[in-house]
Amino acid sequence: QVQLQESGGGLVRPGGSLRLSCTASGTIFSVNAMGWFRASPGEQRELVALKATGNQPSYADSVEGRFTISRSADEKTVYLEMNDLRPEDSAVYFCNAVVRTGVAPTTYTVWGPGTRVTVSS
């Protein structure tokens, strides 16, 4: 009922920049938080950045100062501005959202299909 679609991945050289976007659609009452995770081959998915409604963003230590997360005014789109990219940032990046689909306080966690980021010369 709720879908997330990412865009903006691709190939970039070390030191370059990319901007990821993710939009939530479907039966949405509110979006409590949106964030980005990433997974490299053979490794577990890790949190990159998180922006909960009304809260300051939080970042993994490895991306602090290089990545910036933001959300649209309607809170349904999340962006990840990635600067000074390094080869170790290469991964599949997944969008994540915690949503409510109605007036009931129950929340659901939704994942996007992922978008690949490759940092290589």
Side-chain angles (χ1 to χ4, degrees):
Q1 293 176 337
V2 178
Q3 298 86 37
L4 300 178
Q5 185 59 57
E6 304 106 334
S7 63
L11 173 64
V12 63
R13 295 192 177 189
S17 298
L18 280 177
R19 188 189 195 212
L20 306 183
S21 300
C22 171
T23 298
S25 62
T27 305
I28 299 171
F29 178 79
S30 65
V31 183
N32 292 11
M34 297 188 82
W36 291 93
F37 289 70
R38 66 186 181 187
S40 301
E43 296 189 13
Q44 289 191 335
R45 196 173 295 189
E46 63 172 356
L47 175 65
V48 176
L50 179 68
K51 179 67 174 76
T53 301
N55 290 355
Q56 293 296 313
S58 59
Y59 299 93
D61 290 343
S62 59
V63 307
E64 182 82 52
R66 299 187 297 122
F67 290 12
T68 301
I69 189 171
S70 60
R71 289 173 63 185
S72 61
D74 68 359
E75 304 281 9
K76 294 181 180 179
T77 298
V78 63
Y79 306 97
L80 186 67
E81 188 75 36
M82 305 185 291
N83 298 313
D84 188 24
L85 282 161
R86 305 166 181 170
E88 54 263 38
D89 294 318
S90 298
V92 177
Y93 283 70
F94 298 90
C95 178
N96 167 278
V98 178
V99 304
R100 287 172 57 188
T101 59
V103 295
T106 306
T107 59
Y108 301 90
T109 299
V110 186
W111 293 91
T115 184
R116 181 173 298 278
V117 171
T118 303
V119 185
S120 175
S121 56

